[in-house]
Amino acid sequence: MSSSDEETLSERSYRSERSCRSERSYRSERSGSLSPCPPGDTLPWNLPLHEQKKRKSQDSVLDPAERAVVRVADERDRVQKKTFTKWVNKHLMKVRKHINDLYEDLRDGHNLISLLEVLSGVKLPREKGRMRFHRLQNVQIALDFLKQRQVKLVNIRNDDITDGNPKLTLGLIWTIILHFQISDIYISGESGDMSAKEKLLLWTQKVTAGYVGVKCTNFSSCWSDGKMFNAIIHRYRPDLVDMERVQIQSSRDNLEQAFEIAERLGVTRLLDAEDVDVPSPDEKSVITYVSSIYDAFPKVPEGGEGISATEVDTRWLEYQNHIDSLISWIKQHTIMMSDKSFPQNPVELKALYNQYIHFKETEIPAKQQEKRNIEDLYKLLETWIEFGRLKLPQGYHPNDVEEEWGKLIIEMLEREKLLRPAVERLELLLQIANKIQNGTLSCEEKLTLARNTLQAVSLSLLLFSSP
């Protein structure tokens, strides 16, 4: 046997041994029996009994600072697991699937593939068997798909997920969240080299600018009192949050209030108040939830037109003023056009007709453009109306303007129908009068010529007859 064959055999033996150890560790985790290889879960309540005892014995030799670090890490993993499980279920429910345990229910790869299919809209192949080989293959399909989309997977292998490795399972889901949810954030004024986290932080800072006692510099301690969540909601729906009350409420009440209102607005409740009401909430969990708020709330699309939360009130007032002005102008001129009593004086009638033609060819096109501007502005505001931020009063829909505009056009057509023939008759009479006048002048000229000729002939005769 060659050295390369020996190396290959050695690698196979290692993988086989590692797989057996991982499978045994998984079974021991399920049964609580003794096992030489725990699955690597840092959470004490998820470890086999002998590992829990071992953890306690290890803790006894750690100094207080080291034990505190371990407790923080365990708590962070617990919160992340809860948050990420809810986030996964938010998407899996679209294909009528649900997971209970993030580490356990992704092991066969089926739920992982379904999650990626929902997020990407791409149908992926999958193995239907239940053996370990099929599980590994399904997880590998998911990992390969992520790599094809240029997603960086650091030290995450298919057997890590199949064996239910907590740290790497959390890492994989966080990588998926970063790619499919947070990376799509677009903020006007952002620089090209900003990370997704920095973009989300910039969005938060812009949305909460001007709120007293609210300043966002991170995704941990700044959110623990709940004021930041309430400020974001208030910016989008000021009718739902009393910021004066937020200033005096407890952190727990603020968090409960924000999560409840956000849920009514379509934001899945990924966080629980008790998990955030701590000095330093888990950053990844907070980022996941805040990005869900960003995703659910109205926004200005990249490369497109939109109205941000900070300018919606100004643009709404602008829209209402345009509506009031245009409808007032339409009604005023509708009344004018309905007047069918025309002057009998030919000069006045002609002036009235010229005034109508100027109105039709100059003022009407300008007001049509104004009407189109109102329709365009309404399309931008429609998102906020559907979101509930704006209440559209009766008579302020573009269709209401169109209805009044139709009445004006009908009166204009009726007026022109009567005015044009009157003017045409006037012009015809003027033409006849001109012809008659021209004919009269022609006769007078002929008579004068004949008179002059007669006089000339008479004079010639007199001169001829004289001696």
Side-chain angles (χ1 to χ4, degrees):
M1 182 182 296
S2 65
S3 59
S4 60
D5 292 336
E6 290 176 353
E7 289 175 359
T8 302
L9 182 59
S10 176
E11 289 174 359
R12 290 175 180 171
S13 299
Y14 169 76
R15 291 197 188 103
S16 176
E17 182 181 357
R18 187 178 189 275
S19 299
C20 291
R21 289 203 308 269
S22 299
E23 192 69 32
R24 287 198 301 272
S25 68
Y26 162 70
R27 290 170 182 166
S28 67
E29 184 181 7
R30 299 278 290 175
S31 63
S33 61
L34 294 177
S35 169
C37 181
D41 196 340
T42 60
L43 304 180
W45 46 84
N46 284 340
L47 294 174
L49 293 177
H50 78 288
E51 285 297 328
Q52 293 183 30
K53 294 178 181 179
K54 182 179 179 181
R55 170 70 67 85
K56 290 181 180 179
S57 64
Q58 289 176 343
D59 288 346
S60 63
V61 298
L62 296 176
D63 61 41
E66 291 173 326
R67 285 198 295 272
V69 170
V70 172
R71 284 196 299 270
V72 169
D74 288 348
E75 176 63 15
R76 180 194 62 217
D77 288 355
R78 183 190 69 82
V79 174
Q80 282 185 19
K81 181 182 180 182
K82 186 198 297 187
T83 303
F84 292 176
T85 300
K86 293 178 180 179
W87 184 85
V88 170
N89 281 327
K90 178 180 76 170
H91 295 286
L92 285 182
M93 67 182 297
K94 298 173 185 176
V95 289
R96 299 182 179 181
K97 290 189 176 184
H98 182 86
I99 65 171
N100 295 310
D101 188 294
L102 188 70
Y103 307 149
E104 169 66 21
D105 296 339
L106 298 183
R107 294 177 71 231
D108 63 3
H110 283 289
N111 286 320
L112 189 57
I113 290 176
S114 296
L115 175 64
L116 294 178
E117 288 178 337
V118 171
L119 293 172
S120 67
V122 177
K123 185 69 175 178
L124 299 177
R126 64 178 75 200
E127 295 287 340
K128 296 182 179 180
R130 296 184 178 182
M131 298 179 62
R132 177 176 175 82
F133 167 79
H134 299 113
R135 296 181 176 187
L136 289 169
Q137 188 64 22
N138 281 333
V139 174
Q140 191 60 48
I141 289 171
L143 298 181
D144 289 341
F145 176 74
L146 290 171
K147 291 175 182 176
Q148 290 172 6
R149 297 178 69 98
Q150 309 302 316
V151 179
K152 293 183 179 180
L153 300 174
V154 181
N155 297 326
I156 300 177
R157 303 185 307 188
N158 58 354
D159 54 348
D160 296 319
I161 307 304
T162 299
D163 294 338
N165 185 300
K167 291 289 186 184
L168 295 179
T169 301
L170 290 175
L172 176 61
I173 298 302
W174 173 243
T175 301
I176 292 174
I177 292 172
L178 280 175
H179 179 75
F180 286 99
Q181 181 162 310
I182 304 177
S183 64
D184 290 336
I185 292 174
Y186 167 75
I187 310 296
S188 60
E190 68 180 52
S191 60
D193 58 348
M194 291 180 70
S195 66
K197 174 183 171 182
E198 290 170 334
K199 291 179 184 179
L200 188 62
L201 185 63
L202 177 61
W203 173 78
T204 304
Q205 291 170 341
K206 286 189 172 186
V207 169
T208 58
Y211 283 89
V212 178
V214 175
K215 185 177 181 181
C216 186
T217 58
N218 58 53
F219 285 107
S220 185
S221 58
C222 292
W223 302 80
S224 60
D225 60 4
K227 293 179 181 178
M228 193 71 65
F229 293 110
N230 281 282
I232 293 175
I233 296 172
H234 182 269
R235 177 69 76 185
Y236 283 81
R237 288 293 303 271
D239 56 311
L240 298 180
V241 178
D242 182 354
M243 287 305 294
E244 293 184 359
R245 183 179 176 185
V246 168
Q247 295 297 332
I248 60 176
Q249 283 185 156
S250 66
S251 298
R252 184 65 61 90
D253 289 340
N254 282 339
L255 291 166
E256 288 288 354
Q257 172 181 287
F259 296 159
E260 178 187 348
I261 295 174
E263 191 171 17
R264 298 206 313 259
L265 295 175
V267 182
T268 302
R269 187 165 181 156
L270 303 179
L271 298 176
D272 293 324
E274 62 267 20
D275 297 329
V276 186
D277 187 16
V278 293
S280 298
D282 176 61
E283 181 184 64
K284 292 180 180 178
S285 297
V286 172
I287 288 176
T288 302
Y289 183 69
V290 175
S291 65
S292 295
I293 295 177
Y294 170 86
D295 191 51
F297 284 14
K299 62 190 67 66
V300 179
E302 183 176 3
E305 289 186 292
I307 298 176
S308 67
T310 55
E311 61 178 355
V312 62
D313 291 333
T314 303
R315 300 303 299 275
W316 175 236
L317 182 60
E318 175 188 342
Y319 173 81
Q320 290 178 300
N321 290 337
H322 284 318
I323 289 282
D324 290 336
S325 175
L326 183 56
I327 287 185
S328 176
W329 182 90
I330 292 173
K331 289 182 176 180
Q332 177 185 351
H333 286 81
T334 300
I335 294 173
M336 290 175 57
M337 293 296 117
S338 65
D339 183 10
K340 305 301 189 300
S341 58
F342 305 140
Q344 298 300 316
N345 186 295
V347 176
E348 293 179 358
L349 184 62
K350 182 65 175 178
L352 182 64
Y353 181 72
N354 290 337
Q355 181 183 356
Y356 171 81
I357 293 299
H358 179 270
F359 175 79
K360 177 182 177 181
E361 295 180 352
T362 305
E363 294 188 50
I364 286 296
K367 293 301 177 179
Q368 281 181 321
Q369 182 60 50
E370 188 175 331
K371 184 163 66 75
R372 284 192 290 268
N373 293 341
I374 287 175
E375 292 170 354
D376 292 341
L377 183 54
Y378 176 81
K379 290 177 182 178
L380 299 179
L381 291 166
E382 193 170 18
T383 300
W384 292 97
I385 295 172
E386 294 172 353
F387 187 68
R389 169 69 179 271
L390 303 175
K391 307 296 182 185
L392 187 68
Q394 186 175 359
Y396 279 81
H397 194 279
N399 290 343
D400 299 315
V401 178
E402 195 64 43
E403 183 179 348
E404 295 297 329
W405 184 264
K407 294 178 183 178
L408 172 61
I409 298 301
I410 289 174
E411 292 297 337
M412 284 180 60
L413 293 174
E414 291 292 331
R415 186 180 182 85
E416 185 175 356
K417 183 179 179 181
L418 297 175
L419 189 57
R420 181 184 291 275
V423 173
E424 289 177 348
R425 284 194 301 269
L426 174 62
E427 290 178 345
L428 180 60
L429 290 174
L430 290 174
Q431 290 175 4
I432 294 173
N434 288 334
K435 287 182 178 180
I436 292 174
Q437 185 177 7
N438 292 334
T440 303
L441 290 174
S442 177
C443 290
E444 289 181 354
E445 289 175 356
K446 290 178 180 179
L447 287 172
T448 301
L449 179 61
R451 190 181 299 113
N452 292 337
T453 303
L454 258 171
Q455 289 177 353
V457 170
S458 299
L459 181 59
S460 298
L461 289 173
L462 287 173
L463 290 173
F464 180 77
S465 61
S466 61

